[in-house]
Amino acid sequence: MRSVILSAGKSCFVACPGCYNYFGRTVLDTSQVVRFAAALRERFALEKITVGGGDPLTRPDIVRLLRGLHSLGLRIYLDTVGTAFLGAARIRFMGTGTAEHVPADHVAAVTDLIGIPLDGSTDAVQEQFRRHATVASQLAVLSLLDGVGARLCVNTVVHAGNTEDIAAIAKLLRRYTAIREWQLFQFMPIGPLGHRNRERFLISDADFERAATTARESAPGHVRVAAKSTSGRKHRYLLIDSAGLIWTPEQSQATAWQSEDGNDRRQLIGNISDGDIMERLATEETAVTECAA
C-alpha cells in the first residue's frame, strides 16, 4: 500500500508559503481514526503510518491518538514542527489561539521516528520557506527530543533559496546523536500554496541531485541521507485530512514527474466514515499498481 499520511491537526504553528497540504476544517474523533487504521492494517497489511500536518501537536488529544495507533502494532512516524514540545504554542495558520504543551517524553514513548523540519542554517534562509520557525527554535526542539531518547529524523525541503546552504545545515546536525536520518525533499509545486508560489521555490532535478550529493558528503557519520525527488514521490502517498477526507494529488499516469503534475488539484477518494471506503481504496491501489507497472 502507498504511504499513508494522516493529518492529525487542522492548524499549524508556522505558515509555509510552499505548503502542499489541504487542511481539514474539523478534527475527527480519535476512536474513529484508530478504527480506520485498524481496518487498513487488516485489509491492506498496513505496517506504518505517518502522522503529520496540519501540525499534529495542535490536536488536543495527540498523545491519546498516538497511543491508540501504537496499540495496533503499527510503526508510527510523526512529522511536526515541534513548537508545543517547548511549551504552550501560538497557532499561526488555519486557526487561532494556543495549543497546550505536549510532553516530549510521552510522544517519544509511542513513536518510532519523529521528523523535525530544518530548511536553513540561518533565519534568513530558514524563514524563506518555513515562517515562524527560527533556527534556534528548531535546534531547541531537537535538543529536547535528543534528551528524552527520541529517534529523530530531520526533514529539509530543498528549494531555490537553500541549495547553497546544505553543507551548513549538515554542520548543525552533528551535535544530535539521536538523529538517525536526514530526508531531503525536492520542492513539489502542488497544493494551494505550493503551486501558487512555485516560481519562488522550483528547483531543477540537476540542482536537487547536487544538493543531495553535498548532503551525503557533509552529513555526520551517524546520519543516513535519503534524497526524495519529485519523481520518486509521485503516486506514493495516500493522504487523510483531520476531518477524515482521503485524497491524493492529481498527477499524470507517467511514472516520472511531468510539468502537468505541478498543479493545485487533488483527487478525492472519500471519507473514512463511508461504508464502502475499503472497496474504493482497493480500486485505487489496483490502479496505482497498474500505473507503476
Side-chain angles (χ1 to χ4, degrees), residues 204-228:
S204 69
D205 292 347
D207 283 343
F208 178 68
E209 284 305 316
R210 280 191 286 271
T213 297
T214 299
R216 295 186 185 100
E217 293 173 346
S218 308
H222 65 281
V223 176
R224 185 180 79 89
V225 174
K228 302 194 173 184

Side-chain angles (χ1 to χ4, degrees), residues 206-283:
D207 283 343
F208 178 68
E209 284 305 316
R210 280 191 286 271
T213 297
T214 299
R216 295 186 185 100
E217 293 173 346
S218 308
H222 65 281
V223 176
R224 185 180 79 89
V225 174
K228 302 194 173 184
S229 67
T230 51
S231 291
R233 284 143 59 209
K234 186 176 176 180
H235 297 309
R236 295 297 177 90
Y237 302 115
L238 189 71
L239 299 107
I240 308 168
D241 74 11
S242 63
L245 186 66
I246 305 171
W247 62 279
T248 60
E250 185 175 303
Q251 296 173 333
S252 65
Q253 292 187 348
T255 54
W257 185 266
Q258 307 290 310
S259 60
E260 61 264 33
D261 296 324
N263 61 68
D264 59 357
R265 301 182 298 275
R266 58 177 174 167
Q267 178 183 349
L268 303 180
I269 298 173
N271 193 285
I272 70 172
S273 62
D274 295 339
D276 63 344
I277 192 60
M278 288 298 156
E279 286 68 31
R280 291 191 214 171
L281 287 173
T283 300

Side-chain angles (χ1 to χ4, degrees), residues 12 14 28 35 85 131 145 154 182 186 211 214 280:
C12 200
V14 295
L28 204 62
R35 284 196 300 271
F85 285 140
R131 295 173 182 164
L145 291 169
V154 169
W182 183 15
Q186 183 179 3
T214 299
R280 291 191 214 171

Side-chain angles (χ1 to χ4, degrees), residues 17-47:
C19 182
Y20 72 89
N21 212 351
Y22 294 81
F23 283 63
R25 298 295 182 181
T26 60
V27 175
L28 204 62
D29 182 75
T30 291
S31 60
Q32 190 171 359
V33 176
V34 173
R35 284 196 300 271
F36 179 71
L40 289 178
R41 183 164 175 76
E42 179 178 353
R43 177 71 178 266
F44 300 102
L46 183 71
E47 297 181 348

